[in-house]
Amino acid sequence: MDDIEPPADLPQHFARPANEQEAAWSELWDQGRTPWDRGIPSPALVDLLAARNDLFNPVNSDGSRKKAFVPGCGSGYDPVLLALHGYDAYGLDVSEKAIATAKQYAESQLRTPSEGNFPLSGQKPSVSPGKVEFICGDFFSKDWGEHKFDLIYDYTFLCAILPAKRRDWTKRMSELLKPGGLLVCLEFPLWRDPRDPGPPWGLRGVYWELLARGGDGSPREYGDEEPPPAENAEFKRLLRVKPERSHKIGRGMDMISVWQKV
């Protein structure tokens, strides 16, 4: 499924207090309404993992596997993708139904992976698959355990939370990443007016404002040049490129950025 326009009634469904947002997502899963579900792993992440082994070697120098994490993992496509590329991967979602769906998907894919987990060239990882584990919980809570990850992938997660929670998103990402760990963001939706109600919330300028400037995530229109990063920024941007492949709903405007915790 890759509709270009998000359902018009989503903002109305989420027009409720901040402490009821997680329940709103679970309700949609329970109703079988998952318009964000694309049915395949993120093509942009597939290609990035294959092209930049210098950044995304899934094995530590001692031979142990690195740990990857996907918040708001839904049906589990991206945690499974990361496991197939050698990471020990973890997916988190607030919906019990989503987690059950993800576990079924992982069992099937780890046994017989779909071609969508690999680049169009057919290139396969040189390492064996890692494990994948799914957790039902709230990203902003520590109730689901103390973890530190080498890699976190965010796609349709930041755009799904209330703008008032964006600074908390940055803090939590910093807590979950190991020093030197990588935060990979598929920047979406960049075409949506940041003033429009979400989800999805428009994110033009938001990643730089949050991660490089240490701001509250208010949208900024920078023009041709971004302002310099803050001296005390917790993240350093290593890469920002336009992916050759992404989901159609990105309308050809998606960008993928890689940030390192300093």
Side-chain angles (χ1 to χ4, degrees):
M1 179 178 182
D2 209 348
D3 298 331
I4 288 293
E5 194 64 39
D9 64 340
L10 275 187
Q12 181 179 356
H13 178 78
F14 285 92
R16 56 181 81 186
N19 63 354
E20 296 180 15
Q21 295 293 302
E22 289 79 9
W25 287 108
S26 292
E27 287 171 16
L28 291 178
W29 271 101
D30 292 342
Q31 296 165 8
R33 293 187 60 210
T34 56
W36 53 84
D37 193 310
R38 305 293 157 215
I40 59 172
S42 171
L45 181 59
V46 171
D47 294 344
L48 185 68
L49 293 175
R52 295 302 304 265
N53 188 255
D54 58 322
L55 289 176
F56 301 107
N57 184 344
V59 180
N60 291 303
S61 58
D62 63 1
S64 63
R65 293 184 189 272
K66 294 180 181 178
K67 294 171 63 177
F69 176 59
V70 181
C73 68
S75 297
Y77 307 123
D78 295 322
V80 170
L81 162 67
L82 288 161
L84 289 171
H85 284 256
Y87 290 90
D88 280 342
Y90 298 77
L92 177 78
D93 206 282
V94 296
S95 165
E96 292 183 1
K97 185 172 182 181
I99 294 301
T101 301
K103 288 179 178 178
Q104 290 181 343
Y105 174 79
E107 182 179 358
S108 171
Q109 288 294 307
L110 292 176
R111 184 172 59 248
T112 310
S114 300
E115 290 302 313
N117 290 291
F118 310 108
L120 294 178
S121 65
Q123 174 188 351
K124 299 293 194 297
S126 58
V127 297
S128 60
K131 69 177 184 180
V132 62
E133 180 178 333
F134 294 100
I135 305 166
C136 189
D138 176 3
F139 172 76
F140 296 102
S141 170
K142 297 183 180 179
D143 292 345
W144 49 273
E146 294 291 336
H147 296 271
K148 290 289 185 179
F149 299 101
D150 301 279
L151 169 66
I152 301 178
Y153 182 56
D154 186 299
Y155 170 53
T156 67
F157 185 70
L158 179 58
C159 73
I161 64 176
L162 294 172
K165 298 282 287 183
R166 288 174 182 167
R167 194 188 291 273
D168 294 333
W169 173 91
T170 307
K171 178 183 177 182
R172 191 71 175 121
M173 288 295 185
S174 180
E175 290 174 347
L176 290 168
L177 276 172
K178 296 178 181 179
L182 301 179
L183 170 60
V184 180
C185 299
L186 184 54
E187 300 182 9
F188 165 90
L190 300 183
W191 50 266
R192 190 172 177 85
D193 190 326
R195 296 169 295 185
D196 289 345
W201 300 89
L203 294 180
R204 283 198 306 271
V206 168
Y207 295 92
W208 184 258
E209 191 65 21
L210 279 172
L211 297 170
R213 302 281 292 170
D216 62 2
S218 298
R220 298 286 186 267
E221 294 291 348
Y222 297 132
D224 295 332
E225 187 173 344
E226 295 165 332
E231 291 185 4
N232 61 344
E234 291 188 76
F235 292 90
K236 174 184 177 182
R237 193 172 69 191
L238 303 181
L239 180 71
R240 186 174 190 255
V241 296
K242 188 179 187 63
E244 291 186 11
R245 297 193 300 150
S246 195
H247 294 299
K248 290 180 182 178
I249 197 169
R251 298 184 179 180
M253 296 180 66
D254 287 351
M255 298 292 288
I256 195 162
S257 54
V258 181
W259 304 80
Q260 186 175 48
K261 181 180 174 181
V262 297

